[in-house]
Amino acid sequence: MGRRLVPLTLDNLSDLPRPCRACIFWELDPVRGDAAVRAGRSELEKESWISAVLLDWGSCGRVVYVDDVPAGFVLYAPPAYVPRSQAFSTSPVSADAVQLMTAWISPGYQGQGLGRVMVQTVVKDLLRRGFRGIEAFGDARWKEPACLLPADHLLAVGFKTVRPHPSYPRLRLELRTALSWKEDMELALDRLLGAVQKEPVLRPL
């Protein structure tokens, strides 16, 4: 089985699942996001966002391939590039951290250690850039796949709550902790990375 992880670019954006390649939940603020969805501009806005982040900051995601078949992806960026993060009462993300926006592993490829490899690749990338942590807004009442990752799954893979909230706590993972993840974390990662994603529903927070 050949597997490779490559940076997310406009060239391979089409390899993301269809709902994800047009999802702009994180990329735009609630008002602009809702307007873009109504106008049918979601995919164009997604492309524009990725292009801008690539030019200003660099790689903001990874796509994992198994035998050249897309098997999953992860998307992350500093909070300055993630307007939706400001809509959460538990913001802002810490100055020394990058926001984990969303991530996914196809059900057919779970249980193969891809999640651990993908996350550790991101961790090494961010350490090289001088960041110390990765933070996420979890959904404490998660019931079905959505744009937010379930808080309990984030806790299961080592995230710690830095700002509690009954619905949307902010959680943090120290990057050097993630580097030491072993195979016994793979089941928890499978649950976490399999938790997205359906068609986005933009709703007020």
Side-chain angles (χ1 to χ4, degrees):
M1 178 182 69
R3 62 188 184 186
R4 58 191 176 93
L5 286 89
V6 302
L8 175 65
T9 67
L10 294 178
D11 294 332
N12 59 13
L13 177 59
S14 61
D15 288 340
L16 270 57
R18 180 168 294 277
C20 302
R21 75 183 75 149
C23 177
I24 49 174
F25 178 86
W26 291 111
E27 291 83 352
L28 298 180
D29 63 72
V31 174
R32 291 180 59 215
D34 188 46
V37 170
R38 289 198 306 267
R41 300 196 316 269
S42 297
E43 290 199 34
L44 290 176
E45 292 286 358
K46 184 84 165 192
E47 292 177 4
S48 177
W49 183 86
I50 290 176
S51 178
V53 177
L54 284 170
L55 288 172
D56 291 345
W57 186 66
S59 176
C60 57
R62 290 289 188 276
V63 182
V64 58
Y65 297 88
V66 176
D67 295 332
D68 294 325
V69 176
F73 77 96
V74 59
L75 196 62
Y76 55 94
Y81 297 98
V82 190
R84 172 70 67 152
S85 67
Q86 299 304 314
F88 289 81
S89 59
T90 49
S91 66
V93 170
S94 304
D96 65 347
V98 161
Q99 182 181 340
L100 171 62
M101 297 164 62
T102 194
W104 176 81
I105 292 289
S106 171
Y109 294 96
Q110 294 176 17
Q112 300 179 16
L114 295 178
R116 179 165 52 92
V117 173
M118 186 168 68
V119 172
Q120 290 181 337
T121 298
V122 172
V123 166
K124 291 175 182 178
D125 173 41
L126 296 180
L127 284 172
R128 284 194 297 267
R129 299 196 203 193
F131 292 95
R132 298 178 59 186
I134 189 163
E135 298 188 3
F137 296 96
D139 187 347
R141 300 175 179 177
W142 186 89
K143 294 182 179 179
E144 62 181 5
C147 298
L148 274 77
L149 295 168
D152 61 340
H153 291 191
L154 289 164
L155 291 168
V157 298
F159 280 76
K160 305 295 184 184
T161 302
V162 291
R163 191 165 181 188
H165 188 274
S167 298
Y168 305 113
R170 178 162 53 90
L171 304 103
R172 178 183 175 99
L173 178 70
E174 298 298 333
L175 293 178
R176 296 195 179 280
T177 298
L179 282 178
S180 64
W181 276 349
K182 301 295 191 295
E183 292 182 6
D184 58 3
M185 295 299 294
E186 289 179 9
L187 179 59
L189 276 168
D190 283 348
R191 293 179 61 209
L192 172 64
L193 299 179
V196 291
Q197 152 144 213
K198 286 185 177 180
E199 291 287 349
V201 176
L202 298 175
R203 61 185 187 275
L205 300 172

